[in-house]
Amino acid sequence: MKKILVTGGLGYIGSHTVVELQNSGFQVIIIDNLSNSSIDVLEGLTNITKTAPSFERLDLRIKADVTDFFKRNQDIEGIIHFAASKAVGESVENPLLYYENNLNTLIYLLQECKAYGINNFIFSSSCTVYGEPDSLPITENAPVKAATSPYGNTKQISEEILKDACSISTLKSIALRYFNPIGAHETAEIGELPAGVPQNLVPFITQTAAGVRKELSVFGDDYPTEDGSCVRDYIHVVDLAKAHVTALQRLLLNKNETQFEVFNLGTGRGSSVLEVVESFEKTTGEKLNYKIVDRRPGDVISVYADTKKANEILGWKAEKTMEDALASAWKWEKKVREIA
Ligand code: NAD
Ligand code: WQD
């Protein structure tokens, strides 16, 4: 059984990926400092897979602890690195926190990869690196635009760090550029747990439907899109999770074409905010309280992936629908809020 380290494995995307890894026969060890997740996620993971993953509560910013961890775990064959801070607005308020947490942790891990000959590294990147794209759908060859937030900048810099690290060693790495992950596991054992007021659309929608928020603010209906609201590529988190297993297997089997590769992970379809609202109402039968307000500063107009490279070269395709994702997000929200 190959042993895989999943950093941030108790978080939203990490936890769903742990399920897919365990279901595919990998032995998983999770590192998380619980800064944006709960220890209860371990129980959810165990309930789904009937196997408890190993877990160490560890802060990857503490280099001595990272070094000590690898000294004790010399049989790790691959790393999937999710751990990071991800709130765009907070990164503008506190850039150094973001540069420290998102860059130092990556560097410390890569130093251990070098020390112990760990050659397989999957990194969580983001479609935010494309900024406002020149053309749609966005291919991996689209230019990386000047970042509009320290968070976005950490993803760009991280990709460069990985590329440089790969160029001088035996390290192989895949950066997965996620579009907008939504939804939860169909069992409602795990899902998204935003701290405080959700910044992302779908958790705000489900919390509004659950009565936790009064109403959803739709940020702008005067964009140059079909209905005036912004367009995104919303991808089911379980589809996203499966792509990590495919990417990891690609590296473990040395099927990669270059030492550093990049793939878009999206559905290839763009949906507007108002379409998501409508789809939520239709799928769940819940009436959503919402109003149109001003644009949110920094929002890009329209973003969706060209998925050809992931489909043809990685051999992965998103299979679930928007309705699947919204139904699962609602089932999860109801469980969290104890709504019958
Ligand atoms: P998340 O916050 O739910 O998960 C991240 C996990 O990492 C959390 O459990 C947190 O406690 C842990 N963590 C953070 N800093 C740590 C540290 N120093 N040491 C140990 N653990 C630490 O976030 P997510 O949505 O699951 O995102 C996972 C990754 O995907 C992140 O790198 C994020 O930037 C990236 N990403 C997310 C999205 C999205 O919309 N959710 C989109 C694109 C990229
Ligand atoms: C989606 C759409 C909003 C909330 C962010 C990060 C990005 C990436 C994913 C990590 C937009 C609208 C939202 C609300 C709304 N993360 N909206 N009312 O902005 O595409 O991307 O998360 O890498 O880096 O920037 O996602 O879910 O915040 O917004 O109308 O209350 O929903 O304006 O059009 P976004 P989002």
Side-chain angles (χ1 to χ4, degrees):
M1 241 191 187
K2 290 194 190 311
K3 186 165 160 184
I4 305 302
L5 168 63
V6 181
T7 75
L10 295 188
Y12 175 44
I13 308 169
S15 59
H16 289 83
T17 302
V18 168
V19 168
E20 299 307 323
L21 285 168
Q22 294 199 150
N23 285 346
S24 305
F26 289 101
Q27 184 193 345
V28 173
I29 181 159
I30 295 172
I31 285 181
D32 205 298
N33 66 354
L34 301 178
S35 58
N36 198 35
S37 53
S38 156
I39 192 71
D40 298 343
V41 175
L42 269 182
E43 197 184 317
L45 292 172
T46 311
N47 289 344
I48 299 171
T49 63
K50 311 292 172 224
T51 310
S54 305
F55 169 67
E56 284 211 22
R57 182 172 185 173
L58 191 151
D59 191 330
L60 291 164
R61 286 174 297 191
I62 304 173
K63 186 172 167 56
D65 288 357
V66 178
T67 306
D68 174 67
F69 171 86
F70 280 92
K71 224 176 253 165
R72 290 183 284 105
N73 291 279
Q74 297 196 12
D75 51 350
I76 288 172
E77 296 195 39
I79 299 177
I80 307 186
H81 181 41
F82 293 100
S85 301
K86 64 163 181 176
V88 176
E90 186 188 43
S91 82
V92 175
E93 310 275 305
N94 199 344
L96 296 184
L97 177 83
Y98 274 67
Y99 287 115
E100 181 192 28
N101 202 32
N102 295 5
L103 299 181
N104 286 11
T105 58
L106 174 66
I107 293 165
Y108 297 161
L109 286 170
L110 292 178
Q111 286 170 333
E112 300 305 325
C113 285
K114 191 159 174 237
Y116 292 101
I118 302 167
N119 285 325
N120 307 299
F121 197 97
I122 310 288
F123 177 70
S124 298
S125 191
S126 168
C127 67
T128 193
V129 301
Y130 297 119
E132 186 80 72
D134 301 327
S135 64
L136 291 166
I138 307 172
T139 72
E140 289 80 353
N141 293 327
V144 166
K145 296 274 177 74
T148 52
S149 72
Y151 168 76
N153 206 18
T154 67
K155 293 298 173 191
Q156 297 188 5
I157 296 169
S158 295
E159 287 195 8
E160 285 169 8
I161 290 172
L162 282 166
K163 201 167 152 193
D164 288 347
C166 287
S167 75
I168 49 88
S169 69
T170 50
L171 181 73
K172 295 167 286 163
S173 177
I174 294 179
L176 298 172
R177 292 177 177 165
Y178 313 154
F179 281 65
N180 288 56
I182 60 167
H185 197 264
E186 60 179 5
T187 58
E189 289 285 350
I190 54 171
E192 192 169 7
L193 268 181
V197 181
Q199 305 301 306
N200 294 115
L201 179 63
V202 170
F204 207 105
I205 289 178
T206 54
Q207 288 197 10
T208 305
V212 182
R213 311 279 154 210
K214 211 169 100 255
E215 64 187 348
L216 168 76
S217 294
V218 172
F219 298 136
D221 68 347
D222 57 351
Y223 284 98
T225 61
E226 223 156 273
D227 63 22
S229 62
C230 291
V231 169
R232 298 287 183 273
D233 186 338
Y234 296 95
I235 174 167
H236 197 303
V237 67
V238 171
D239 275 333
L240 194 70
K242 287 179 178 164
H244 292 75
V245 180
T246 311
L248 179 68
Q249 276 160 342
R250 179 174 174 85
L251 293 184
L252 290 169
L253 296 171
N254 287 314
K255 286 190 170 163
N256 52 302
E257 287 164 14
T258 52
Q259 271 175 266
F260 176 68
E261 294 182 317
V262 172
F263 293 96
N264 283 344
L265 295 182
T267 64
R269 281 184 310 275
S271 305
S272 73
V273 177
L274 291 170
E275 279 170 347
V276 177
V277 169
E278 192 187 321
S279 177
F280 179 81
E281 290 186 328
K282 215 158 129 197
T283 307
T284 63
E286 299 291 324
K287 185 91 198 77
L288 200 72
N289 207 6
Y290 73 89
K291 65 168 182 215
I292 312 286
V293 302
D294 287 348
R295 293 180 178 194
R296 180 172 71 177
D299 269 342
V300 289
I301 304 166
S302 206
V303 170
Y304 52 93
D306 185 321
T307 61
K308 199 162 174 246
K309 189 176 176 197
N311 298 162
E312 291 178 4
I313 298 179
L314 191 58
W316 163 92
K317 196 174 190 324
E319 283 166 354
K320 293 179 182 287
T321 63
M322 169 72 78
E323 289 70 32
D324 295 334
L326 293 175
S328 67
W330 181 229
K331 186 175 174 187
W332 165 249
E333 187 71 55
K334 283 198 292 183
K335 186 183 169 195
V336 171
R337 307 293 162 194
E338 298 176 351
I339 298 171

